[in-house]
PDB file of all heavy atoms in Angstrom:
ATOM      1  N   GLN A 434      12.365 -10.181 -14.256  1.00  0.00           N
ATOM      2  CA  GLN A 434      12.546 -10.190 -15.696  1.00  0.00           C
ATOM      3  C   GLN A 434      11.671 -11.188 -16.427  1.00  0.00           C
ATOM      4  O   GLN A 434      11.356 -11.047 -17.551  1.00  0.00           O
ATOM      5  CB  GLN A 434      13.984 -10.381 -16.069  1.00  0.00           C
ATOM      6  CG  GLN A 434      14.928  -9.304 -15.577  1.00  0.00           C
ATOM      7  CD  GLN A 434      14.661  -7.885 -16.062  1.00  0.00           C
ATOM      8  OE1 GLN A 434      14.166  -7.707 -17.132  1.00  0.00           O
ATOM      9  NE2 GLN A 434      14.849  -6.973 -15.156  1.00  0.00           N
ATOM     10  N   THR A 435      11.292 -12.270 -15.570  1.00  0.00           N
ATOM     11  CA  THR A 435      10.458 -13.260 -16.118  1.00  0.00           C
ATOM     12  C   THR A 435       9.362 -13.679 -15.209  1.00  0.00           C
ATOM     13  O   THR A 435       9.521 -13.457 -13.921  1.00  0.00           O
ATOM     14  CB  THR A 435      11.255 -14.574 -16.449  1.00  0.00           C
ATOM     15  OG1 THR A 435      11.716 -15.199 -15.274  1.00  0.00           O
ATOM     16  CG2 THR A 435      12.434 -14.242 -17.375  1.00  0.00           C
ATOM     17  N   ARG A 436       8.238 -14.232 -15.666  1.00  0.00           N
ATOM     18  CA  ARG A 436       7.165 -14.680 -14.755  1.00  0.00           C
ATOM     19  C   ARG A 436       7.673 -15.886 -13.932  1.00  0.00           C
ATOM     20  O   ARG A 436       7.238 -15.976 -12.759  1.00  0.00           O
ATOM     21  CB  ARG A 436       6.058 -15.078 -15.644  1.00  0.00           C
ATOM     22  CG  ARG A 436       4.679 -15.517 -14.893  1.00  0.00           C
ATOM     23  CD  ARG A 436       3.594 -15.622 -15.937  1.00  0.00           C
ATOM     24  NE  ARG A 436       2.360 -16.194 -15.286  1.00  0.00           N
ATOM     25  CZ  ARG A 436       2.081 -17.454 -15.150  1.00  0.00           C
ATOM     26  NH1 ARG A 436       2.895 -18.404 -15.620  1.00  0.00           N
ATOM     27  NH2 ARG A 436       0.936 -17.855 -14.547  1.00  0.00           N
ATOM     28  N   GLU A 437       8.546 -16.681 -14.486  1.00  0.00           N
ATOM     29  CA  GLU A 437       9.082 -17.819 -13.722  1.00  0.00           C
ATOM     30  C   GLU A 437       9.897 -17.398 -12.580  1.00  0.00           C
ATOM     31  O   GLU A 437       9.743 -17.966 -11.389  1.00  0.00           O
ATOM     32  CB  GLU A 437       9.882 -18.724 -14.602  1.00  0.00           C
ATOM     33  CG  GLU A 437       9.124 -19.390 -15.766  1.00  0.00           C
ATOM     34  CD  GLU A 437       8.627 -18.504 -16.839  1.00  0.00           C
ATOM     35  OE1 GLU A 437       9.226 -17.456 -17.025  1.00  0.00           O
ATOM     36  OE2 GLU A 437       7.657 -18.907 -17.496  1.00  0.00           O
ATOM     37  N   GLU A 438      10.596 -16.291 -12.697  1.00  0.00           N
ATOM     38  CA  GLU A 438      11.400 -15.795 -11.629  1.00  0.00           C
ATOM     39  C   GLU A 438      10.412 -15.267 -10.472  1.00  0.00           C
ATOM     40  O   GLU A 438      10.724 -15.513  -9.330  1.00  0.00           O
ATOM     41  CB  GLU A 438      12.218 -14.658 -12.082  1.00  0.00           C
ATOM     42  CG  GLU A 438      13.195 -14.051 -11.082  1.00  0.00           C
ATOM     43  CD  GLU A 438      14.012 -12.885 -11.516  1.00  0.00           C
ATOM     44  OE1 GLU A 438      13.903 -12.573 -12.737  1.00  0.00           O
ATOM     45  OE2 GLU A 438      14.663 -12.188 -10.831  1.00  0.00           O
ATOM     46  N   LEU A 439       9.383 -14.596 -10.912  1.00  0.00           N
ATOM     47  CA  LEU A 439       8.337 -14.098  -9.889  1.00  0.00           C
ATOM     48  C   LEU A 439       7.841 -15.198  -9.074  1.00  0.00           C
ATOM     49  O   LEU A 439       7.745 -15.261  -7.908  1.00  0.00           O
ATOM     50  CB  LEU A 439       7.306 -13.340 -10.617  1.00  0.00           C
ATOM     51  CG  LEU A 439       6.030 -12.984  -9.807  1.00  0.00           C
ATOM     52  CD1 LEU A 439       6.352 -12.064  -8.641  1.00  0.00           C
ATOM     53  CD2 LEU A 439       4.988 -12.465 -10.756  1.00  0.00           C
ATOM     54  N   HIS A 440       7.444 -16.317  -9.866  1.00  0.00           N
ATOM     55  CA  HIS A 440       6.764 -17.482  -9.178  1.00  0.00           C
ATOM     56  C   HIS A 440       7.700 -18.191  -8.265  1.00  0.00           C
ATOM     57  O   HIS A 440       7.309 -18.753  -7.224  1.00  0.00           O
ATOM     58  CB  HIS A 440       6.120 -18.320 -10.263  1.00  0.00           C
ATOM     59  CG  HIS A 440       4.823 -17.903 -10.765  1.00  0.00           C
ATOM     60  ND1 HIS A 440       3.721 -18.713 -10.959  1.00  0.00           N
ATOM     61  CD2 HIS A 440       4.427 -16.622 -11.068  1.00  0.00           C
ATOM     62  CE1 HIS A 440       2.721 -18.002 -11.385  1.00  0.00           C
ATOM     63  NE2 HIS A 440       3.151 -16.679 -11.521  1.00  0.00           N
ATOM     64  N   ARG A 441       8.984 -18.199  -8.598  1.00  0.00           N
ATOM     65  CA  ARG A 441       9.949 -18.876  -7.673  1.00  0.00           C
ATOM     66  C   ARG A 441      10.034 -18.143  -6.352  1.00  0.00           C
ATOM     67  O   ARG A 441      10.125 -18.780  -5.299  1.00  0.00           O
ATOM     68  CB  ARG A 441      11.342 -18.891  -8.346  1.00  0.00           C
ATOM     69  CG  ARG A 441      11.519 -19.975  -9.363  1.00  0.00           C
ATOM     70  CD  ARG A 441      12.943 -20.226  -9.623  1.00  0.00           C
ATOM     71  NE  ARG A 441      13.723 -19.047 -10.177  1.00  0.00           N
ATOM     72  CZ  ARG A 441      13.747 -18.770 -11.424  1.00  0.00           C
ATOM     73  NH1 ARG A 441      13.248 -19.525 -12.373  1.00  0.00           N
ATOM     74  NH2 ARG A 441      14.410 -17.723 -11.877  1.00  0.00           N
ATOM     75  N   GLU A 442      10.042 -16.787  -6.422  1.00  0.00           N
ATOM     76  CA  GLU A 442      10.036 -15.936  -5.214  1.00  0.00           C
ATOM     77  C   GLU A 442       8.747 -16.180  -4.394  1.00  0.00           C
ATOM     78  O   GLU A 442       8.770 -16.233  -3.159  1.00  0.00           O
ATOM     79  CB  GLU A 442      10.317 -14.543  -5.548  1.00  0.00           C
ATOM     80  CG  GLU A 442      11.659 -14.281  -6.043  1.00  0.00           C
ATOM     81  CD  GLU A 442      12.751 -14.489  -5.053  1.00  0.00           C
ATOM     82  OE1 GLU A 442      12.627 -13.984  -3.942  1.00  0.00           O
ATOM     83  OE2 GLU A 442      13.748 -15.218  -5.420  1.00  0.00           O
ATOM     84  N   LEU A 443       7.604 -16.185  -5.078  1.00  0.00           N
ATOM     85  CA  LEU A 443       6.366 -16.359  -4.355  1.00  0.00           C
ATOM     86  C   LEU A 443       6.179 -17.756  -3.727  1.00  0.00           C
ATOM     87  O   LEU A 443       5.469 -17.928  -2.753  1.00  0.00           O
ATOM     88  CB  LEU A 443       5.205 -16.069  -5.302  1.00  0.00           C
ATOM     89  CG  LEU A 443       5.119 -14.658  -5.863  1.00  0.00           C
ATOM     90  CD1 LEU A 443       3.877 -14.499  -6.687  1.00  0.00           C
ATOM     91  CD2 LEU A 443       5.267 -13.652  -4.773  1.00  0.00           C
ATOM     92  N   ALA A 444       6.906 -18.714  -4.336  1.00  0.00           N
ATOM     93  CA  ALA A 444       6.870 -20.124  -3.759  1.00  0.00           C
ATOM     94  C   ALA A 444       7.729 -20.336  -2.574  1.00  0.00           C
ATOM     95  O   ALA A 444       7.649 -21.392  -2.047  1.00  0.00           O
ATOM     96  CB  ALA A 444       7.136 -21.057  -4.884  1.00  0.00           C
ATOM     97  N   LEU A 445       8.589 -19.419  -2.276  1.00  0.00           N
ATOM     98  CA  LEU A 445       9.598 -19.543  -1.193  1.00  0.00           C
ATOM     99  C   LEU A 445       8.873 -19.743   0.081  1.00  0.00           C
ATOM    100  O   LEU A 445       7.817 -19.207   0.326  1.00  0.00           O
ATOM    101  CB  LEU A 445      10.525 -18.310  -1.105  1.00  0.00           C
ATOM    102  CG  LEU A 445      11.511 -18.104  -2.211  1.00  0.00           C
ATOM    103  CD1 LEU A 445      12.235 -16.761  -1.944  1.00  0.00           C
ATOM    104  CD2 LEU A 445      12.557 -19.290  -2.191  1.00  0.00           C
ATOM    105  N   ALA A 446       9.398 -20.533   0.947  1.00  0.00           N
ATOM    106  CA  ALA A 446       8.737 -20.773   2.317  1.00  0.00           C
ATOM    107  C   ALA A 446       8.664 -19.482   3.135  1.00  0.00           C
ATOM    108  O   ALA A 446       7.589 -19.337   3.723  1.00  0.00           O
ATOM    109  CB  ALA A 446       9.688 -21.773   3.103  1.00  0.00           C
ATOM    110  N   SER A 447       9.585 -18.627   2.869  1.00  0.00           N
ATOM    111  CA  SER A 447       9.501 -17.340   3.668  1.00  0.00           C
ATOM    112  C   SER A 447       8.364 -16.522   3.226  1.00  0.00           C
ATOM    113  O   SER A 447       7.689 -15.800   4.027  1.00  0.00           O
ATOM    114  CB  SER A 447      10.774 -16.544   3.455  1.00  0.00           C
ATOM    115  OG  SER A 447      11.113 -16.321   2.081  1.00  0.00           O
ATOM    116  N   THR A 448       7.992 -16.514   1.918  1.00  0.00           N
ATOM    117  CA  THR A 448       6.850 -15.801   1.390  1.00  0.00           C
ATOM    118  C   THR A 448       5.550 -16.437   1.916  1.00  0.00           C
ATOM    119  O   THR A 448       4.675 -15.773   2.365  1.00  0.00           O
ATOM    120  CB  THR A 448       6.772 -15.766  -0.104  1.00  0.00           C
ATOM    121  OG1 THR A 448       8.008 -15.225  -0.608  1.00  0.00           O
ATOM    122  CG2 THR A 448       5.680 -14.958  -0.670  1.00  0.00           C
ATOM    123  N   GLN A 449       5.533 -17.769   1.867  1.00  0.00           N
ATOM    124  CA  GLN A 449       4.323 -18.455   2.361  1.00  0.00           C
ATOM    125  C   GLN A 449       4.094 -18.209   3.780  1.00  0.00           C
ATOM    126  O   GLN A 449       2.940 -18.090   4.380  1.00  0.00           O
ATOM    127  CB  GLN A 449       4.407 -19.914   2.014  1.00  0.00           C
ATOM    128  CG  GLN A 449       4.434 -20.298   0.550  1.00  0.00           C
ATOM    129  CD  GLN A 449       3.175 -19.765  -0.132  1.00  0.00           C
ATOM    130  OE1 GLN A 449       2.044 -20.080   0.225  1.00  0.00           O
ATOM    131  NE2 GLN A 449       3.325 -19.015  -1.231  1.00  0.00           N
TER     132      GLN A 449
END
Side-chain angles (χ1 to χ4, degrees):
Q434 301 300 326
T435 67
R436 184 169 176 270
E437 291 71 25
E438 183 184 354
L439 168 65
H440 280 223
R441 280 198 300 272
E442 291 295 309
L443 298 186
L445 291 174
S447 58
T448 304
Q449 296 302 308

